[in-house]
Amino acid sequence: MNVRRCNTQAEIEAALKVRRTVFVVEQKIDPALEFDGRDKAAVHIAAFDGEKVVGAARALASGENAEIGRLAVLAEYRKRGIGSAIMREAEYAARMAGARIAVIHAQSYTVEMYKKLGYESAGEEFMEAGIAHREMRKKLAPASKVRCKLCGAENVFLSDRDREVICAKCGYRMIGRDLWQVV
């Protein structure tokens, strides 16, 4: 299983198809509510089983907040940790966009999964698209900076994800001990 950002329009369309299957067909949500016109501005994350998209979500960053939502996994792929993996990748995309807080509208029956990922409830239960939801929030770890040993330029990296950083200014490849010299 591979979870990553969608890179092509075909991958985005496959992610949208998963969302349609889960939300419109299974949960009977009005397509006009599910496809709300915000997908063009979003970063789309997908889980791939080979070439097949089996799960998806979107992230919309705005300043310090990122709205992560529309998490959907095909029925035959549920209970395998795919949703959690998609959320981690969506959080990574949000951090890269400068967000410090992830905000989600979790369907009430999924609250425990999100708590395991570090989300906290932020308010009372409410109805959205005819389904009980709860707003949840998670503080995202900030990006770190490392100074290039060759040219001195500062480079951003996310310590829990990046194994190496290539300096944007001079191209020097920093790995291992170099990444411990955080600015």
Side-chain angles (χ1 to χ4, degrees), residues 32-138:
L33 295 175
E34 173 56 27
F35 301 103
D36 58 6
R38 299 177 68 204
D39 286 315
K40 288 183 181 179
V43 171
H44 295 271
I45 307 299
F48 296 83
D49 183 5
E51 296 294 315
K52 180 181 180 181
V53 174
V54 300
R58 73 178 184 189
L60 292 147
S62 177
E64 289 198 351
N65 290 337
E67 179 187 319
I68 299 174
R70 306 301 204 262
L71 175 62
V73 177
L74 295 177
E76 62 270 26
Y77 287 89
R78 293 181 191 146
K79 304 290 186 192
R80 298 185 193 180
I82 295 169
S84 296
I86 292 169
M87 286 300 295
R88 284 191 296 274
E89 190 67 20
E91 290 169 6
Y92 176 78
R95 289 172 65 196
M96 289 299 290
R100 300 289 307 273
I101 298 172
V103 180
I104 62 173
H105 288 177
Q107 290 186 9
S108 293
Y109 80 93
T110 65
V111 165
E112 290 306 312
M113 178 193 81
Y114 289 111
K115 283 183 178 178
K116 289 177 185 174
L117 293 172
Y119 286 83
E120 297 177 355
S121 293
E124 299 298 318
E125 190 172 79
F126 62 93
M127 297 301 285
E128 186 172 66
I131 298 171
H133 283 73
R134 186 170 302 269
E135 182 174 305
M136 301 184 81
R137 294 173 173 262
K138 178 180 179 178

